[in-house]
Amino acid sequence: MKKAIIILILTIISNSVIGQDLNGKYILKDIDSGNGKKGYPGFQLLEIRDNKVTVYTDFMLKEKASHLKMDNGDFLNSNNEKVSKYEIINKSHIKWFIDGKSNDKDVIFECDFYKLEPTITTLKKEEIEKLRYVHTENERKTEFEFNKELWDKETLELFKRKEGEKKIIENIDSTFFLSMYYNGIRNVSIPIKEVSKELLKLYAIPSGGPMEMVAYRKK
């Protein structure tokens, strides 16, 4: 009897610690459908509070796509029915396994979610927006300049658009994002790990490769 009580107490403590460690927001990095290629279906975020999970698919977090409950590796719906599985890789990384179809074949989609951490910075949003950065990879340069239309007038007229491409700094809580807009529509929002007057360090989302990419201030 005493042994059973001890096991019960340890289980309660363990669940409490796990729940506390996992609380927070997790952003989707990529999806593996088992065909050797990773994809990115767009912005998705899980918010975990004491084993209760809210799923968002909009960056402003105003539209709650669904509500789930975590139960020893299973996601349950509001009726306590098992709808999918998950695996805790560590307190910052959760895998969500979803049954689906790809090319008319039954597959299990592995969705990798990583915990959002506050951006390391002493700068305010307005200060970051005034800076310009350059990322160089394989001799190809990508510039990051914010709140500026990046297409020239001729290109806009050619494609009959009022807006072409813009890069904007946005945030969720204390995490800054580099958001890329095309034709006035958000295409992707990438969490910023660290930003200073000298560098911009981004989490590589979406990507099946390295976890980070670094751009340096343009002189």
Side-chain angles (χ1 to χ4, degrees), residues 3 30 45 60 63 71-72 88 110 165 170 192 199 206:
K3 183 178 180 181
D30 46 40
L45 181 142
M60 304 309 294
E63 299 180 12
D71 181 38
N72 296 319
I88 300 171
E110 293 187 15
E165 178 184 355
E170 298 183 294
I192 299 174
L199 63 82

Side-chain angles (χ1 to χ4, degrees), residues 118-121 191-196 199-203 215:
T119 299
I120 301 169
T121 188
I192 299 174
K193 180 177 182 180
E194 181 180 356
V195 59
S196 68
L199 63 82
L200 175 72
K201 187 178 292 186
L202 303 168
Y203 290 104

Side-chain angles (χ1 to χ4, degrees), residues 66-80:
S66 60
H67 295 277
L68 300 169
K69 181 180 177 181
M70 303 175 78
D71 181 38
N72 296 319
D74 293 315
F75 275 134
L76 311 181
N77 61 19
S78 57
N79 296 321
N80 284 327

Side-chain angles (χ1 to χ4, degrees), residues 1-218:
M1 182 68 177
K2 185 182 293 186
K3 183 178 180 181
I5 293 174
I6 292 173
I7 292 173
L8 177 60
I9 292 173
L10 290 175
T11 301
I12 292 172
I13 293 173
S14 176
N15 287 339
S16 175
V17 170
I18 290 173
Q20 184 178 9
D21 285 347
L22 290 179
N23 282 349
K25 295 181 175 71
Y26 295 74
I27 190 171
L28 176 66
K29 181 176 186 286
D30 46 40
I31 291 180
D32 188 343
S33 61
N35 59 5
K37 296 181 180 179
K38 293 189 176 184
Y40 181 72
F43 180 88
Q44 292 189 33
L45 181 142
L46 307 180
E47 183 171 15
I48 299 176
R49 287 288 178 268
D50 300 327
N51 293 338
K52 294 181 180 179
V53 182
T54 304
V55 183
Y56 296 92
T57 55
D58 70 303
F59 186 87
M60 304 309 294
L61 307 186
K62 291 184 178 180
E63 299 180 12
K64 298 177 181 179
S66 60
H67 295 277
L68 300 169
K69 181 180 177 181
M70 303 175 78
D71 181 38
N72 296 319
D74 293 315
F75 275 134
L76 311 181
N77 61 19
S78 57
N79 296 321
N80 284 327
E81 299 168 332
K82 296 179 183 180
V83 293
S84 54
K85 291 185 174 295
Y86 68 88
E87 179 183 352
I88 300 171
I89 306 302
N90 54 55
K91 65 181 182 180
S92 298
H93 181 193
I94 295 175
K95 275 185 178 289
W96 185 3
F97 302 95
I98 302 175
D99 292 334
K101 285 186 177 292
S102 178
N103 297 323
D104 295 326
K105 293 182 179 180
D106 292 331
V107 298
I108 297 176
F109 294 101
E110 293 187 15
C111 309
D112 286 291
F113 286 84
Y114 288 86
K115 192 171 189 177
L116 281 183
E117 301 291 350
T119 299
I120 301 169
T121 188
T122 59
L123 301 176
K124 296 180 180 179
K125 177 183 175 183
E126 295 76 15
E127 295 175 294
I128 300 171
E129 291 173 331
K130 294 177 182 177
L131 300 170
R132 297 172 66 184
Y133 303 90
V134 178
H135 171 69
T136 304
E137 185 175 359
N138 298 326
E139 299 184 355
R140 179 182 176 183
K141 292 186 177 181
T142 302
E143 290 195 18
F144 299 102
E145 186 174 4
F146 311 111
N147 297 340
K148 178 184 177 182
E149 175 56 64
L150 300 177
W151 288 14
D152 56 38
K153 184 178 179 181
E154 291 74 16
T155 304
L156 289 171
E157 290 177 351
L158 177 63
F159 287 93
K160 298 179 180 180
R161 292 183 181 179
K162 293 182 179 180
E163 297 181 75
E165 178 184 355
K166 280 186 179 180
K167 294 180 173 69
I168 296 176
I169 298 295
E170 298 183 294
N171 70 285
I172 294 177
D173 300 335
S174 298
T175 305
F176 284 119
F177 284 76
L178 168 63
S179 293
M180 301 184 189
Y181 282 75
Y182 293 91
N183 197 24
I185 300 173
R186 181 188 289 104
N187 180 261
V188 64
S189 294
I190 306 172
I192 299 174
K193 180 177 182 180
E194 181 180 356
V195 59
S196 68
K197 290 184 177 179
E198 300 304 321
L199 63 82
L200 175 72
K201 187 178 292 186
L202 303 168
Y203 290 104
I205 296 175
S207 171
M211 287 295 294
E212 298 176 0
M213 61 179 287
V214 181
Y216 294 93
R217 185 178 176 183
K218 185 173 182 180

